[in-house]
C-alpha cells in the first residue's frame, strides 16, 4: 500500500531515527521510584531535569572558558547568553516543587535515605566553573571513578572567572600577579585590585565589549543566586528547620550558601562607579 503524500513516515527497519538520536526510551525509563506516593514522580523527574540543565550549562560555560582563552570574546558571550536562557529554564523548573507542604514531602522523604542534591557532581562542576573550588567536595565521589576524574579535572583547571581575569590582564588591565598565578584548586578570593579594574570599566564607555562581558557575567551571577534562593525557599516550605537528608543543618546551611556572591567584584565594584 503506498503511503499518502505529505504524511510522516511510519515504516522503519529498526528503532526510529528519533529514538536513535534522543534515546527517549532510555530517558523515560530512568524513573525508579522508591515509594508508593504519587508525588514522588515529579520530585524525581524535576531533579533529573535539573541535572540535565546543569549538564547543558556546564557545557556552555566550558565553551565560554575555552573561547576566552583564545581571546574570542564574541564566541564566549554567545555561549554565556545561551546559558542565561537555560538558567531561566532551570529556575522555572522549580515550579512543581516550590509549594510542597511538609506532609507531602514527608510522604517520600524517608525513601531518599541519605541522598541529597549536595551530592550532585554536575552542580559541583558549575560551582567550580564559577570559581568556588573545594577539594573536599570530591570526597563523596571517591566511589565513582568517572565522576571523580571529571571533577578532579575541573578542580585543577582555570574557572570561567579565572579566564576572564587572564583576558583582562592580556588587554593591559592591572590584574595582580597573585590573582593570575593563584592556586586554581582553591576558592577564588575577591581582590581590591580586580574590583578597581571593574570599577574603571564600568565608569567608562558602557558599550565597551569588556564592560558588556561584565554585564553578561553579572546576569549569570544573578540567575545562579536566584536558583539558590528558590531552592532555599522551597526547602523552608517543605521541611522548616529540620536537618537535611545529606546531614547538614538544612535551611541554616543553605542560607549561608545562598549569601555567596558569584563573581564577587562585579557586585562590589558597583558601589564605586
Ligand atoms: C523541595 C525539595 C528539596 C528540599 C527540601 C531540599 C533540601 C536540601 C537540603 C536540606 C540541602 C542541604 C544539604 C543536606 O543536608 O541535604 C540541599 C542541598 C542541595 N540540593 Fe536540595 N532540596 C530539594 C530539592 C532539590 C532539587 C530538585 C535539586 C536539583 C538537583 C536540589 C539540589 C541541591 C543541591 C545542588 C544542593 C547542594 C547546594 C550547595 O552545595 O550549596 N535540591 N537540598
Amino acid at each position: 500500500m503506498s503511503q499518502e503524500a505529505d504524511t510522516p513516515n511510519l515504516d522503519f527497519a529498526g528503532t526510529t531515527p528519533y529514538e536513535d538520536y534522543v534515546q527517549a526510551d532510555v530517558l523515560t525509563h530512568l524513573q525508579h521510584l522508591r515509594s508508593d506516593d504519587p508525588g514522588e514522580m515529579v520530585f524525581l523527574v524535576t531533579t533529573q531535569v535539573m541535572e540535565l540543565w546543569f549538564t547543558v550549562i556546564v557545557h556552555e560555560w566550558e565553551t565560554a572558558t575555552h573561547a576566552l582563552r583564545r581571546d574570542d570574546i564574541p564566541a564566549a558571550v554567545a555561549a554565556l547568553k545561551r546559558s542565561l536562557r537555560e538558567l531561566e529554564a532551570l529556575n522555572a523548573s522549580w515550579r512543581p516543587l516550590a509549594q510542597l507542604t511538609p506532609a507531602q514531602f514527608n510522604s517520600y522523604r524517608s525513601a531518599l535515605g541519605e541522598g541529597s542534591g549536595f551530592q550532585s557532581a554536575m552542580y559541583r562542576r558549575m560551582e567550580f566553573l564559577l570559581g568556588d573550588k573545594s577539594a573536599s567536595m570530591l570526597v563523596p565521589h571517591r566511589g565513582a571513578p568517572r565522576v571523580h576524574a571529571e571533577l578532579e579535572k575541573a578542580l585543577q583547571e582555570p574557572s570561567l572567572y579565572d579566564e576572564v581575569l587572564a583576558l583582562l590582564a592580556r588587554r593591559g588591565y592591572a590584574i595582580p600577579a597573585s590573582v593570575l598565578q593563584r592556586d586554581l584548586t582553591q576558592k577564588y578570593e575577591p581582590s581590591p585590585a580586580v574590583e578597581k579594574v571593574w570599577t574603571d570599566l564600568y565608569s567608562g564607555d558602557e558599550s565597551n565589549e569588556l564592560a558588556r562581558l561584565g554585564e553578561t557575567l553579572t546576569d549569570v551571577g544573578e540567575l545562579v543566586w536566584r536558583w539558590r534562593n528558590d531552592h532555599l525557599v522551597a526547602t523552608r516550605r517543605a521541611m522548616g528547620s529540620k536537618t537535611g537528608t545529606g546531614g547538614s543543618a538544612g535551611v541554616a546551611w543553605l542560607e549561608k550558601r545562598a549569601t555567596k556572591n558569584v563573581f564577587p567584584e562585579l557586585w562590589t565594584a558597583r558601589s564605586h562607579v
Side-chain angles (χ1 to χ4, degrees), residues 43-59:
F43 177 81
L44 176 57
V45 171
T46 300
T47 308
Q48 292 179 332
V49 164
M50 286 197 184
E51 282 289 337
L52 291 175
W53 281 128
F54 296 162
T55 308
V56 178
I57 292 162
V58 163
H59 172 78

Side-chain angles (χ1 to χ4, degrees), residues 17-235:
Y18 176 83
E19 178 58 30
D20 297 343
Y21 181 54
V22 179
Q23 298 201 48
D25 186 40
V26 177
L27 207 52
T28 57
H29 289 81
L30 293 173
Q31 291 69 43
H32 307 297
L33 300 176
R34 299 228 176 135
S35 75
D36 295 332
D37 188 79
E40 188 195 340
M41 183 67 154
V42 68
F43 177 81
L44 176 57
V45 171
T46 300
T47 308
Q48 292 179 332
V49 164
M50 286 197 184
E51 282 289 337
L52 291 175
W53 281 128
F54 296 162
T55 308
V56 178
I57 292 162
V58 163
H59 172 78
E60 304 294 16
W61 293 351
E62 284 180 343
T63 302
T65 304
H66 298 151
L68 289 166
R69 203 171 298 161
R70 5 172 253 277
D71 290 294
D72 188 347
I73 296 180
V77 169
L80 291 173
K81 294 233 158 162
R82 284 196 301 273
S83 85
L84 296 179
R85 304 290 85 84
E86 294 147 10
L87 282 160
E88 283 168 358
L90 166 71
N91 291 352
S93 44
W94 275 118
R95 292 310 303 146
L97 299 184
Q99 272 95 26
L100 279 180
T101 66
Q104 286 164 350
F105 189 45
N106 282 345
S107 309
Y108 49 86
R109 190 180 188 218
S110 59
L112 308 177
E114 287 186 68
S116 165
F118 176 74
Q119 298 144 16
S120 164
M122 208 46 98
Y123 182 79
R124 216 49 72 199
R125 279 178 64 186
M126 283 175 60
E127 289 212 322
F128 284 5
L129 275 162
L130 297 174
D132 203 346
K133 301 280 191 75
S134 162
S136 63
M137 293 298 186
L138 268 64
V139 176
H141 305 287
R142 278 179 306 198
R146 180 171 68 182
V147 169
H148 191 274
E150 285 172 354
L151 263 181
E152 172 84 55
K153 185 164 175 278
L155 181 74
Q156 306 286 344
E157 279 178 351
S159 69
L160 173 58
Y161 199 51
D162 288 318
E163 291 293 359
V164 170
L165 299 181
L167 181 136
L168 291 177
R170 290 195 296 278
R171 297 281 167 107
Y173 291 89
I175 307 292
S178 59
V179 169
L180 297 172
Q181 285 146 26
R182 73 185 199 89
D183 177 355
L184 295 173
T185 66
Q186 301 291 314
K187 176 179 161 47
Y188 177 82
E189 293 297 341
S191 141
V194 170
E195 183 188 85
K196 172 80 171 60
V197 167
W198 286 120
T199 305
D200 292 347
L201 274 167
Y202 273 90
S203 303
D205 176 6
E206 285 205 337
S207 65
N208 173 301
E209 68 174 344
L210 296 173
R212 282 190 285 122
L213 174 63
E215 272 310 87
T216 307
L217 292 166
T218 305
D219 291 339
V220 167
E222 177 176 328
L223 289 168
V224 170
W225 178 82
R226 285 183 191 282
W227 186 89
R228 290 179 179 155
N229 276 279
D230 287 352
H231 177 249
L232 175 65
V233 180
T235 303

